[in-house]
Coordinates of all heavy atoms in Angstrom, one line a residue:
M4 N 19.5 36.4 -18.8 CA 18.4 37.2 -19.4 C 17.2 36.3 -19.3 O 17.2 35.1 -19.4 CB 18.8 37.5 -20.9 CG 17.8 38.4 -21.5 SD 18.1 38.8 -23.2 CE 19.9 38.8 -23.4
T5 N 16.1 37.0 -19.1 CA 14.8 36.3 -18.9 C 13.8 36.8 -20.0 O 13.9 38.0 -20.4 CB 14.2 36.7 -17.5 OG1 15.1 36.2 -16.5 CG2 12.8 36.0 -17.3
A6 N 12.9 36.0 -20.5 CA 11.9 36.3 -21.5 C 10.5 36.0 -21.0 O 10.3 35.0 -20.3 CB 12.2 35.6 -22.8
S7 N 9.6 36.9 -21.3 CA 8.2 36.6 -21.1 C 7.6 36.3 -22.5 O 7.8 37.1 -23.4 CB 7.5 37.9 -20.5 OG 6.1 37.7 -20.4
V8 N 6.9 35.2 -22.6 CA 6.3 34.8 -23.9 C 4.8 34.8 -23.7 O 4.3 34.1 -22.7 CB 6.8 33.4 -24.3 CG1 6.1 33.0 -25.6 CG2 8.3 33.5 -24.6
T9 N 4.1 35.5 -24.5 CA 2.6 35.6 -24.4 C 2.0 35.2 -25.7 O 2.4 35.7 -26.8 CB 2.2 37.0 -24.1 OG1 2.8 37.5 -22.9 CG2 0.7 37.1 -23.9
I10 N 1.1 34.2 -25.6 CA 0.5 33.7 -26.8 C -1.0 34.2 -26.8 O -1.7 34.0 -25.8 CB 0.5 32.1 -26.9 CG1 2.0 31.7 -26.9 CG2 -0.3 31.6 -28.1 CD1 2.1 30.2 -26.8
I11 N -1.3 34.9 -27.9 CA -2.6 35.5 -27.9 C -3.4 35.0 -29.1 O -2.9 34.9 -30.2 CB -2.4 37.1 -28.1 CG1 -1.7 37.6 -26.9 CG2 -3.7 37.8 -28.4 CD1 -1.3 39.1 -27.1
E12 N -4.7 34.7 -28.9 CA -5.6 34.3 -30.0 C -6.7 35.3 -30.0 O -7.3 35.7 -29.0 CB -6.1 32.9 -29.7 CG -5.1 31.8 -29.9 CD -5.6 30.4 -29.8 OE1 -6.8 30.2 -30.1 OE2 -4.8 29.5 -29.5
L13 N -7.0 35.7 -31.3 CA -8.0 36.8 -31.4 C -8.9 36.5 -32.6 O -8.6 35.7 -33.5 CB -7.4 38.1 -31.5 CG -6.5 38.4 -32.7 CD1 -6.4 39.8 -33.0 CD2 -5.1 37.9 -32.4
R14 N -10.0 37.2 -32.6 CA -11.0 37.1 -33.7 C -10.6 38.2 -34.7 O -10.3 39.3 -34.3 CB -12.4 37.2 -33.3 CG -12.7 38.4 -32.4 CD -14.1 38.4 -31.9 NE -14.4 37.9 -30.6 CZ -14.0 38.5 -29.5 NH1 -13.3 39.6 -29.5 NH2 -14.3 38.0 -28.3
G15 N -10.7 37.9 -36.0 CA -10.5 38.9 -37.0 C -9.0 39.1 -37.3 O -8.2 38.3 -36.9
S16 N -8.8 40.2 -37.9 CA -7.4 40.6 -38.3 C -6.5 40.9 -37.1 O -7.0 41.4 -36.1 CB -7.5 41.9 -39.1 OG -6.2 42.4 -39.4
V17 N -5.2 40.5 -37.3 CA -4.2 40.8 -36.2 C -3.8 42.3 -36.3 O -3.2 42.8 -35.3 CB -3.0 39.9 -36.4 CG1 -3.4 38.5 -36.2 CG2 -2.2 40.2 -37.6
D18 N -4.2 43.0 -37.3 CA -3.7 44.4 -37.5 C -4.1 45.3 -36.3 O -3.2 46.1 -35.9 CB -4.2 45.0 -38.8 CG -3.6 44.3 -40.0 OD1 -2.5 43.6 -39.8 OD2 -4.1 44.3 -41.1
P19 N -5.3 45.3 -35.8 CA -5.6 46.2 -34.7 C -4.8 45.9 -33.5 O -4.4 46.8 -32.7 CB -7.1 46.0 -34.4 CG -7.7 45.5 -35.7 CD -6.5 44.7 -36.3
L20 N -4.6 44.6 -33.2 CA -3.7 44.2 -32.1 C -2.3 44.7 -32.3 O -1.7 45.2 -31.3 CB -3.7 42.7 -31.9 CG -2.9 42.1 -30.8 CD1 -3.3 42.6 -29.5 CD2 -2.9 40.6 -30.8
I21 N -1.8 44.5 -33.5 CA -0.4 45.0 -33.7 C -0.3 46.5 -33.5 O 0.7 47.0 -32.9 CB 0.1 44.7 -35.2 CG1 0.1 43.2 -35.4 CG2 1.4 45.3 -35.5 CD1 0.9 42.4 -34.4
G22 N -1.3 47.3 -33.9 CA -1.3 48.7 -33.6 C -1.3 49.0 -32.1 O -0.5 49.9 -31.7
L23 N -2.1 48.3 -31.3 CA -2.1 48.5 -29.9 C -0.7 48.1 -29.3 O -0.2 48.8 -28.4 CB -3.2 47.6 -29.2 CG -4.6 48.3 -29.2 CD1 -5.6 47.3 -28.6 CD2 -4.5 49.5 -28.3
I24 N -0.2 47.0 -29.7 CA 1.1 46.6 -29.2 C 2.2 47.6 -29.5 O 2.9 48.0 -28.6 CB 1.6 45.2 -29.8 CG1 0.6 44.1 -29.3 CG2 3.0 44.9 -29.5 CD1 0.8 42.8 -30.1
R25 N 2.2 48.1 -30.8 CA 3.2 49.1 -31.2 C 3.0 50.4 -30.4 O 4.0 51.1 -30.0 CB 3.1 49.4 -32.7 CG 4.1 50.4 -33.2 CD 3.8 50.8 -34.7 NE 2.4 51.3 -34.7 CZ 1.4 50.9 -35.5 NH1 1.6 49.8 -36.3 NH2 0.2 51.4 -35.5
D26 N 1.8 50.9 -30.3 CA 1.5 52.2 -29.8 C 1.4 52.3 -28.3 O 1.6 53.4 -27.7 CB 0.2 52.8 -30.4 CG 0.3 52.9 -31.9 OD1 1.5 53.0 -32.4 OD2 -0.7 53.0 -32.6
V27 N 1.0 51.2 -27.6 CA 0.7 51.2 -26.2 C 1.6 50.3 -25.4 O 2.3 50.7 -24.5 CB -0.8 50.8 -25.9 CG1 -1.1 50.8 -24.4 CG2 -1.7 51.8 -26.6
L28 N 1.7 49.0 -25.7 CA 2.5 48.0 -24.9 C 4.0 48.2 -25.1 O 4.7 48.2 -24.1 CB 2.1 46.6 -25.3 CG 2.7 45.5 -24.4 CD1 2.3 45.7 -23.0 CD2 2.2 44.2 -24.9
L29 N 4.4 48.4 -26.3 CA 5.9 48.6 -26.5 C 6.4 49.8 -25.8 O 7.4 49.7 -25.1 CB 6.2 48.6 -28.0 CG 7.7 48.8 -28.4 CD1 8.6 47.7 -27.8 CD2 7.9 48.8 -29.9
P30 N 5.8 51.0 -25.9 CA 6.3 52.1 -25.1 C 6.3 51.8 -23.6 O 7.2 52.3 -22.9 CB 5.4 53.3 -25.5 CG 4.9 52.9 -26.8 CD 4.7 51.4 -26.8
A31 N 5.3 51.2 -23.1 CA 5.2 50.8 -21.7 C 6.3 49.9 -21.3 O 6.9 50.1 -20.2 CB 3.8 50.2 -21.3
A32 N 6.6 48.9 -22.1 CA 7.7 48.0 -21.8 C 9.1 48.7 -21.9 O 9.9 48.6 -21.0 CB 7.7 46.9 -22.8
K33 N 9.3 49.6 -22.9 CA 10.6 50.3 -23.0 C 10.8 51.2 -21.9 O 12.0 51.5 -21.6 CB 10.6 51.1 -24.3 CG 10.8 50.3 -25.6 CD 10.8 51.2 -26.8 CE 11.5 50.6 -28.0 NZ 11.5 51.5 -29.1
A34 N 9.8 51.7 -21.2 CA 10.0 52.6 -20.1 C 10.4 52.0 -18.8 O 10.8 52.6 -17.9 CB 8.6 53.4 -19.9
Q35 N 10.4 50.6 -18.8 CA 10.7 49.9 -17.6 C 12.2 49.6 -17.5 O 12.9 49.3 -18.5 CB 10.0 48.6 -17.5 CG 8.5 48.8 -17.6 CD 7.9 49.7 -16.6 OE1 8.2 49.6 -15.4 NE2 7.0 50.6 -17.0
A36 N 12.8 49.7 -16.3 CA 14.2 49.4 -16.1 C 14.4 47.9 -16.4 O 13.6 47.1 -16.1 CB 14.6 49.7 -14.6
G37 N 15.5 47.6 -17.0 CA 15.9 46.2 -17.3 C 15.3 45.7 -18.6 O 15.6 44.6 -19.0
F38 N 14.6 46.5 -19.4 CA 14.1 46.1 -20.7 C 15.2 45.9 -21.6 O 16.1 46.7 -21.7 CB 13.1 47.2 -21.2 CG 12.7 46.9 -22.6 CD1 11.6 46.0 -22.8 CD2 13.2 47.5 -23.7 CE1 11.2 45.8 -24.1 CE2 12.8 47.3 -25.0 CZ 11.8 46.4 -25.2
V39 N 15.2 44.8 -22.4 CA 16.2 44.5 -23.4 C 15.7 44.4 -24.8 O 16.3 45.0 -25.7 CB 16.9 43.1 -23.0 CG1 17.9 42.7 -24.1 CG2 17.6 43.2 -21.7
G40 N 14.5 43.8 -25.0 CA 14.0 43.7 -26.4 C 12.6 43.2 -26.4 O 12.0 42.8 -25.4
F41 N 12.0 43.3 -27.7 CA 10.6 43.0 -27.9 C 10.5 42.4 -29.3 O 10.9 43.0 -30.2 CB 9.9 44.3 -27.8 CG 8.4 44.2 -27.6 CD1 7.9 44.5 -26.3 CD2 7.5 43.9 -28.6 CE1 6.5 44.4 -26.1 CE2 6.2 43.9 -28.4 CZ 5.7 44.1 -27.1
E42 N 9.8 41.3 -29.4 CA 9.5 40.6 -30.7 C 8.1 40.3 -30.7 O 7.4 40.0 -29.7 CB 10.3 39.3 -30.8 CG 11.8 39.5 -31.1 CD 12.6 39.8 -29.8 OE1 12.3 39.3 -28.8 OE2 13.6 40.6 -29.9
V43 N 7.5 40.4 -31.9 CA 6.1 40.1 -32.2 C 6.1 39.1 -33.4 O 6.5 39.5 -34.5 CB 5.2 41.3 -32.4 CG1 3.8 40.9 -32.7 CG2 5.3 42.3 -31.3
L44 N 5.5 38.0 -33.2 CA 5.3 37.0 -34.3 C 3.8 36.9 -34.6 O 3.0 36.8 -33.6 CB 5.9 35.6 -33.9 CG 7.3 35.6 -33.4 CD1 7.7 34.2 -32.9 CD2 8.3 36.0 -34.5
T45 N 3.4 36.9 -35.9 CA 2.0 36.8 -36.2 C 1.7 35.7 -37.2 O 2.5 35.4 -38.0 CB 1.5 38.1 -36.8 OG1 2.2 38.4 -38.0 CG2 1.6 39.3 -35.8
N46 N 0.5 35.1 -37.0 CA 0.0 34.1 -38.0 C -1.5 34.5 -38.2 O -2.3 34.1 -37.4 CB 0.1 32.7 -37.5 CG -0.3 31.7 -38.5 OD1 -1.3 31.8 -39.2 ND2 0.5 30.6 -38.6
Q47 N -1.7 35.3 -39.3 CA -3.1 35.7 -39.6 C -4.0 34.6 -39.8 O -5.2 34.6 -39.3 CB -3.0 36.6 -40.8 CG -4.4 37.2 -41.2 CD -4.9 38.2 -40.2 OE1 -4.2 39.1 -39.8 NE2 -6.2 38.1 -39.9
G48 N -3.6 33.5 -40.4 CA -4.4 32.4 -40.7 C -5.0 31.7 -39.4 O -6.1 31.3 -39.4
L49 N -4.1 31.6 -38.4 CA -4.5 31.1 -37.1 C -5.2 32.1 -36.2 O -5.7 31.7 -35.2 CB -3.3 30.4 -36.4 CG -2.7 29.2 -37.1 CD1 -1.5 28.7 -36.3 CD2 -3.7 28.1 -37.2
G50 N -5.0 33.4 -36.5 CA -5.5 34.4 -35.6 C -4.7 34.4 -34.3 O -5.2 34.6 -33.2
R51 N -3.4 34.2 -34.5 CA -2.5 34.0 -33.3 C -1.3 35.0 -33.4 O -0.7 35.2 -34.4 CB -2.0 32.6 -33.2 CG -1.2 32.3 -31.9 CD -0.9 30.9 -31.8 NE -2.1 30.1 -31.6 CZ -2.2 28.8 -31.9 NH1 -1.2 28.1 -32.3 NH2 -3.4 28.2 -31.8
V52 N -1.0 35.6 -32.2 CA 0.1 36.5 -32.1 C 1.0 36.0 -30.9 O 0.4 35.7 -29.9 CB -0.3 37.9 -31.9 CG1 0.9 38.9 -31.6 CG2 -1.1 38.4 -33.1
I53 N 2.3 36.0 -31.1 CA 3.2 35.6 -30.0 C 4.0 36.8 -29.7 O 4.7 37.4 -30.6 CB 4.1 34.4 -30.3 CG1 3.2 33.2 -30.6 CG2 5.1 34.1 -29.2 CD1 3.9 32.0 -31.2
L54 N 4.0 37.3 -28.5 CA 4.8 38.4 -28.0 C 6.0 37.8 -27.2 O 5.7 37.0 -26.3 CB 4.0 39.4 -27.1 CG 2.7 39.9 -27.6 CD1 2.1 40.8 -26.5 CD2 2.9 40.7 -28.8
M55 N 7.1 38.4 -27.3 CA 8.2 38.0 -26.5 C 9.0 39.2 -26.0 O 9.4 40.0 -26.9 CB 9.2 37.0 -27.2 CG 10.3 36.6 -26.2 SD 11.4 35.3 -26.8 CE 12.4 36.3 -27.9
T56 N 9.0 39.4 -24.8 CA 9.8 40.5 -24.2 C 11.0 39.9 -23.5 O 10.9 38.9 -22.9 CB 9.0 41.4 -23.2 OG1 8.5 40.6 -22.2 CG2 7.9 42.1 -24.0
R57 N 12.1 40.6 -23.6 CA 13.4 40.2 -22.9 C 13.8 41.2 -21.9 O 13.7 42.4 -22.1 CB 14.5 39.9 -24.0 CG 14.2 38.7 -24.8 CD 15.3 38.4 -25.9 NE 15.1 39.4 -27.0 CZ 16.0 40.3 -27.4 NH1 17.2 40.3 -26.8 NH2 15.8 41.1 -28.4
W58 N 14.3 40.7 -20.8 CA 14.6 41.5 -19.6 C 16.0 41.1 -19.1 O 16.3 39.9 -19.2 CB 13.5 41.4 -18.5 CG 12.2 41.7 -19.1 CD1 11.3 40.9 -19.7 CD2 11.6 43.0 -19.1 NE1 10.2 41.6 -20.1 CE2 10.4 42.9 -19.7 CE3 12.0 44.3 -18.6 CZ2 9.5 44.0 -19.9 CZ3 11.1 45.3 -18.8 CH2 9.9 45.2 -19.4
Q59 N 16.7 42.0 -18.5 CA 18.0 41.7 -17.9 C 17.9 40.6 -16.9 O 18.8 39.7 -16.8 CB 18.7 42.9 -17.4 CG 19.1 43.9 -18.4 CD 19.6 45.3 -17.8 OE1 19.4 45.5 -16.7 NE2 20.2 46.1 -18.7
T60 N 16.9 40.7 -16.0 CA 16.8 39.7 -14.9 C 15.3 39.4 -14.7 O 14.4 40.1 -15.2 CB 17.3 40.3 -13.6 OG1 16.5 41.4 -13.2 CG2 18.7 40.8 -13.7
E61 N 15.1 38.3 -14.0 CA 13.7 37.9 -13.6 C 13.1 39.0 -12.8 O 11.9 39.3 -12.9 CB 13.8 36.6 -12.9 CG 12.4 36.1 -12.3 CD 11.5 35.5 -13.4 OE1 12.0 35.1 -14.5 OE2 10.3 35.3 -13.1
A62 N 13.9 39.6 -11.9 CA 13.3 40.7 -11.0 C 12.9 41.8 -11.9 O 11.8 42.4 -11.6 CB 14.4 41.1 -10.0
A63 N 13.6 42.2 -12.9 CA 13.2 43.3 -13.8 C 11.9 43.0 -14.5 O 11.0 43.8 -14.6 CB 14.3 43.6 -14.8
L64 N 11.8 41.8 -14.9 CA 10.5 41.3 -15.6 C 9.4 41.4 -14.6 O 8.3 42.0 -15.0 CB 10.7 39.9 -16.1 CG 9.4 39.1 -16.5 CD1 8.7 39.9 -17.6 CD2 9.8 37.7 -17.0
R65 N 9.5 40.9 -13.4 CA 8.4 40.9 -12.4 C 8.1 42.3 -12.1 O 6.9 42.6 -11.9 CB 8.8 40.1 -11.2 CG 9.1 38.7 -11.5 CD 7.9 37.8 -11.3 NE 8.3 36.4 -11.6 CZ 7.4 35.5 -12.0 NH1 6.2 35.9 -12.2 NH2 7.8 34.3 -12.2
T66 N 9.0 43.2 -11.9 CA 8.8 44.6 -11.5 C 8.0 45.3 -12.7 O 7.1 46.0 -12.4 CB 10.1 45.3 -11.3 OG1 10.8 44.7 -10.1 CG2 9.9 46.8 -10.9
A67 N 8.4 45.0 -13.9 CA 7.7 45.6 -15.1 C 6.3 45.2 -15.1 O 5.4 46.0 -15.3 CB 8.5 45.3 -16.4
E68 N 6.1 43.9 -15.0 CA 4.7 43.4 -15.0 C 3.8 43.9 -13.9 O 2.6 44.0 -14.1 CB 4.7 41.8 -15.0 CG 5.2 41.2 -16.2 CD 5.3 39.7 -16.2 OE1 5.3 39.1 -15.1 OE2 5.3 39.1 -17.3
A69 N 4.4 44.3 -12.8 CA 3.6 44.9 -11.7 C 3.3 46.4 -11.9 O 2.4 46.9 -11.2 CB 4.4 44.7 -10.4
Q70 N 4.0 47.0 -12.8 CA 3.8 48.5 -13.0 C 2.4 48.8 -13.6 O 1.9 48.1 -14.5 CB 4.8 49.1 -14.0 CG 6.2 49.0 -13.4 CD 6.4 49.8 -12.1 OE1 5.9 51.0 -12.0 NE2 7.0 49.3 -11.1
R71 N 1.7 49.8 -13.1 CA 0.4 50.2 -13.5 C 0.3 50.4 -15.0 O -0.7 49.9 -15.7 CB 0.0 51.4 -12.8 CG -1.5 51.8 -13.0 CD -1.9 52.9 -12.1 NE -2.8 53.8 -12.8 CZ -2.7 55.1 -12.9 NH1 -1.8 55.7 -12.4 NH2 -3.6 55.7 -13.6
E72 N 1.2 51.1 -15.6 CA 1.2 51.4 -17.0 C 1.3 50.2 -17.9 O 0.6 50.1 -18.9 CB 2.4 52.4 -17.4 CG 2.3 53.7 -16.8 CD 2.9 53.8 -15.4 OE1 3.4 52.7 -14.9 OE2 2.7 54.8 -14.7
Y73 N 2.1 49.2 -17.5 CA 2.2 48.0 -18.2 C 0.9 47.2 -18.1 O 0.5 46.6 -19.1 CB 3.4 47.2 -17.6 CG 4.0 46.1 -18.5 CD1 4.7 46.5 -19.6 CD2 3.8 44.8 -18.2 CE1 5.3 45.5 -20.4 CE2 4.4 43.8 -19.0 CZ 5.1 44.2 -20.1 OH 5.6 43.2 -20.9
Q74 N 0.3 47.1 -16.9 CA -0.9 46.4 -16.8 C -2.1 47.1 -17.6 O -2.9 46.4 -18.1 CB -1.3 46.3 -15.3 CG -0.4 45.5 -14.5 CD -0.7 45.5 -13.0 OE1 -1.5 46.2 -12.5 NE2 0.0 44.6 -12.3
Q75 N -2.1 48.4 -17.6 CA -3.1 49.1 -18.4 C -3.0 48.8 -19.9 O -3.9 48.7 -20.6 CB -3.0 50.6 -18.1 CG -3.6 51.0 -16.8 CD -3.4 52.5 -16.5 OE1 -2.5 53.1 -17.0 NE2 -4.2 53.0 -15.6
A76 N -1.7 48.7 -20.3 CA -1.5 48.4 -21.8 C -2.0 47.0 -22.1 O -2.7 46.8 -23.1 CB 0.0 48.5 -22.1
F77 N -1.8 46.0 -21.2 CA -2.3 44.7 -21.5 C -3.8 44.7 -21.4 O -4.5 44.0 -22.1 CB -1.7 43.7 -20.5 CG -0.6 42.8 -21.1 CD1 0.7 43.1 -20.9 CD2 -1.0 41.8 -22.0 CE1 1.7 42.3 -21.5 CE2 0.0 41.0 -22.6 CZ 1.3 41.2 -22.4
A78 N -4.4 45.5 -20.5 CA -5.9 45.5 -20.4 C -6.5 46.0 -21.7 O -7.6 45.5 -22.0 CB -6.2 46.5 -19.2
Q79 N -5.9 46.9 -22.4 CA -6.4 47.4 -23.7 C -6.4 46.3 -24.7 O -7.3 46.2 -25.5 CB -5.6 48.6 -24.2 CG -5.9 49.8 -23.4 CD -5.2 51.0 -24.0 OE1 -5.2 51.2 -25.2 NE2 -4.5 51.8 -23.2
I80 N -5.4 45.4 -24.7 CA -5.3 44.3 -25.6 C -6.3 43.3 -25.3 O -6.9 42.7 -26.3 CB -3.8 43.8 -25.5 CG1 -2.9 44.8 -26.2 CG2 -3.8 42.4 -26.2 CD1 -1.4 44.4 -26.0
N81 N -6.6 43.0 -24.1 CA -7.6 41.9 -23.7 C -8.9 42.0 -24.4 O -9.6 41.0 -24.6 CB -7.7 41.8 -22.2 CG -6.5 41.2 -21.5 OD1 -5.7 40.5 -22.2 ND2 -6.3 41.5 -20.3
G82 N -9.3 43.2 -24.7 CA -10.6 43.4 -25.4 C -10.7 42.8 -26.8 O -11.8 42.6 -27.3
L83 N -9.6 42.5 -27.4 CA -9.6 41.9 -28.8 C -9.5 40.4 -28.8 O -9.5 39.8 -29.8 CB -8.4 42.5 -29.5 CG -8.3 44.0 -29.7 CD1 -7.0 44.4 -30.4 CD2 -9.5 44.5 -30.6
L84 N -9.3 39.8 -27.6 CA -9.0 38.4 -27.5 C -10.2 37.5 -27.5 O -11.3 37.8 -27.0 CB -8.1 38.1 -26.3 CG -6.9 39.0 -26.1 CD1 -6.1 38.6 -24.9 CD2 -6.1 39.0 -27.4
T85 N -10.0 36.2 -28.0 CA -11.1 35.2 -28.0 C -11.0 34.4 -26.7 O -12.0 33.9 -26.2 CB -11.0 34.3 -29.2 OG1 -9.8 33.7 -29.2 CG2 -11.3 35.0 -30.5
I86 N -9.8 34.2 -26.2 CA -9.5 33.5 -24.9 C -8.5 34.3 -24.2 O -7.7 35.1 -24.8 CB -9.1 32.1 -25.2 CG1 -7.8 32.0 -26.0 CG2 -10.2 31.2 -25.8 CD1 -7.2 30.6 -26.1
P87 N -8.4 34.1 -22.9 CA -7.3 34.8 -22.1 C -5.9 34.4 -22.7 O -5.7 33.2 -23.1 CB -7.5 34.3 -20.7 CG -8.9 33.8 -20.6 CD -9.2 33.3 -22.0
P88 N -5.0 35.3 -22.7 CA -3.6 35.0 -23.2 C -2.9 34.0 -22.3 O -3.2 33.9 -21.1 CB -2.9 36.3 -23.2 CG -3.6 37.2 -22.2 CD -5.1 36.7 -22.2
L89 N -2.0 33.2 -22.9 CA -1.2 32.3 -22.1 C 0.2 33.0 -22.0 O 0.8 33.4 -23.0 CB -1.0 31.0 -22.9 CG 0.1 30.0 -22.3 CD1 -0.3 29.5 -20.9 CD2 0.3 28.9 -23.3
Q90 N 0.6 33.2 -20.8 CA 1.9 33.9 -20.5 C 2.8 33.0 -19.7 O 2.4 32.5 -18.7 CB 1.7 35.2 -19.8 CG 2.9 36.0 -19.7 CD 2.7 37.4 -19.2 OE1 1.8 37.6 -18.3 NE2 3.3 38.4 -19.8
E91 N 4.1 32.8 -20.2 CA 5.1 32.0 -19.4 C 6.4 32.8 -19.5 O 6.7 33.6 -20.3 CB 5.2 30.7 -20.1 CG 4.0 29.9 -20.1 CD 4.1 28.5 -20.9 OE1 4.8 28.5 -21.9 OE2 3.5 27.6 -20.4
H92 N 7.2 32.5 -18.5 CA 8.5 33.1 -18.4 C 9.6 32.0 -18.7 O 9.4 30.8 -18.3 CB 8.8 33.6 -17.0 CG 7.9 34.8 -16.7 ND1 7.7 35.3 -15.4 CD2 7.0 35.5 -17.4 CE1 6.8 36.3 -15.4 NE2 6.4 36.4 -16.6
Y93 N 10.7 32.4 -19.3 CA 11.7 31.5 -19.7 C 13.1 32.2 -19.5 O 13.2 33.4 -19.5 CB 11.7 31.2 -21.2 CG 10.4 30.4 -21.6 CD1 9.3 31.0 -22.0 CD2 10.5 29.0 -21.6 CE1 8.1 30.3 -22.3 CE2 9.3 28.3 -22.0 CZ 8.2 28.9 -22.3 OH 7.1 28.2 -22.7
V94 N 14.1 31.4 -19.3 CA 15.5 31.8 -19.3 C 15.9 31.8 -20.7 O 15.7 30.8 -21.5 CB 16.4 30.9 -18.4 CG1 17.8 31.3 -18.6 CG2 16.0 31.0 -17.0
V95 N 16.6 32.9 -21.2 CA 17.1 32.9 -22.6 C 18.5 32.2 -22.5 O 19.4 32.7 -21.9 CB 17.3 34.4 -23.0 CG1 17.9 34.4 -24.4 CG2 16.0 35.1 -23.0
S96 N 18.5 31.0 -23.1 CA 19.7 30.2 -23.0 C 20.7 30.4 -24.2 O 21.8 30.2 -24.1 CB 19.3 28.7 -23.0 OG 18.5 28.5 -21.9
L97 N 20.1 30.9 -25.3 CA 20.9 31.2 -26.5 C 20.3 32.3 -27.3 O 19.1 32.2 -27.6 CB 21.1 29.9 -27.4 CG 21.9 30.1 -28.6 CD1 23.3 30.4 -28.3 CD2 21.8 28.8 -29.5
L98 N 21.0 33.3 -27.6 CA 20.5 34.4 -28.4 C 21.6 34.7 -29.5 O 22.7 35.0 -29.1 CB 20.2 35.6 -27.6 CG 19.7 36.9 -28.2 CD1 18.3 36.6 -28.8 CD2 19.6 38.0 -27.2
A99 N 21.3 34.7 -30.7 CA 22.3 34.9 -31.8 C 21.9 36.2 -32.6 O 20.8 36.6 -32.6 CB 22.3 33.7 -32.7

């Protein structure tokens, strides 16, 4: 299993971002083949949100990220950010 981890810093409340993630990004991710799971961690005090999506394979992750709908969902989120998001891919070594 492969995970994509995105660290986002934004100005103001995390609530508008959470709404976009819930209403736009999550449905776009769920529509992709190989989607396994989605987690969102927030720290309002730091203005930071961490997104983690899990995929059956690295190929499924790469294919999903290349899809137009997925890219459009991320484009909507970018308008709320103070700096570009940091995105990295990891192998899920343990999941409980």
Side-chain angles (χ1 to χ4, degrees):
M4 188 179 326
T5 300
S7 173
V8 176
T9 305
I10 301 172
I11 296 172
E12 291 189 22
L13 63 154
R14 55 183 96 70
S16 172
V17 300
D18 294 338
L20 178 63
I21 298 304
L23 275 174
I24 292 168
R25 181 191 59 239
D26 299 339
V27 179
L28 187 58
L29 180 56
K33 283 182 163 182
Q35 304 304 315
F38 174 80
V39 175
F41 198 103
E42 287 80 31
V43 180
L44 307 172
T45 60
N46 185 318
Q47 180 68 45
L49 294 175
R51 189 172 293 158
V52 176
I53 300 174
L54 308 177
M55 185 173 75
T56 57
R57 290 179 283 120
W58 304 86
Q59 290 173 346
T60 64
E61 176 79 16
L64 168 58
R65 298 270 181 206
T66 299
E68 289 179 338
Q70 294 298 315
R71 187 172 146 231
E72 295 82 7
Y73 200 72
Q74 291 175 355
Q75 287 175 335
F77 256 103
Q79 289 184 46
I80 288 171
N81 284 337
L83 300 173
L84 309 183
T85 57
I86 61 173
L89 171 65
Q90 187 173 40
E91 298 177 325
H92 296 167
Y93 294 90
V94 171
V95 178
S96 299
L97 179 65
L98 181 64

